[in-house]
Amino acid sequence: MSVKEVLYTAHGHATGGRAGRGASSDNKVDVTLSVPKSMGGDDGPGTNPEQLFSVGYSACFLGALKFAAGKEGVKLPDDSKVSAEIGIGPREDGGGFGITAALTITAPGVEKAVLEDLVQKAHIVCPYSNAIYKSVDVKLSVA
């Protein structure tokens, strides 16, 4: 898949791997990274790539949901929310590690059938969903 026109490019870097530090080039993001105990780490004070991915995917998917709602003439409430669960573990085929993704979407006051339709449309246009298409089985649920 190619991009017709790049509208924005983020620049970031990491040092020390999963137990190091990560930052954006403009220093708006500057985080300590720690390895969770379940992955053999010390569960230190820092975040990890899966937490960062869950926040990014949640924000991106909510943006896509707002876009889809706008095209359908549906007003989403201000307290609409996307929660992401991102898991990591060894792949079944033994070829390294893979991730899992489950999104839960809440939009109080929006009819469930309408929201489910918007969620499917958002999943088609969301850049994160497109980036992991065919490599991660994303579970979508409407609360």
Side-chain angles (χ1 to χ4, degrees):
M1 170 182 7
S2 61
V3 174
K4 180 178 172 183
E5 175 188 4
V6 175
L7 300 176
Y8 172 76
T9 301
H11 299 271
H13 64 274
T15 56
R18 287 183 164 271
R21 184 157 209 83
S24 60
S25 61
D26 60 7
N27 291 316
K28 289 183 180 182
V29 175
D30 188 348
V31 296
T32 299
L33 301 168
S34 297
V35 180
K37 196 167 275 196
S38 63
M39 292 179 65
D42 64 0
D43 213 20
T47 189
N48 59 63
E50 292 71 37
Q51 288 177 325
L52 294 169
F53 191 86
S54 71
V55 172
Y57 198 179
S58 295
C60 191
F61 197 90
L62 185 53
L65 186 64
K66 288 179 178 183
F67 174 81
K71 289 191 80 117
E72 297 294 320
V74 176
K75 170 75 171 105
L76 291 178
D78 291 340
D79 58 349
S80 295
K81 182 169 109 175
V82 175
S83 299
E85 293 180 20
I86 304 298
I88 183 171
R91 288 183 9 190
E92 290 179 352
D93 65 5
F97 289 85
I99 62 170
T100 62
L103 303 181
T104 302
I105 298 90
T106 308
V110 177
E111 198 175 304
K112 186 172 183 177
V114 171
L115 185 55
E116 287 173 339
D117 181 59
L118 292 173
V119 164
Q120 291 304 315
K121 290 175 178 168
H123 193 46
I124 292 168
V125 299
C126 175
Y128 273 59
S129 292
N130 282 313
I132 62 176
Y133 179 67
K134 292 190 177 182
S135 63
V136 176
D137 182 24
V138 180
K139 295 182 181 6
L140 302 170
S141 62
V142 171

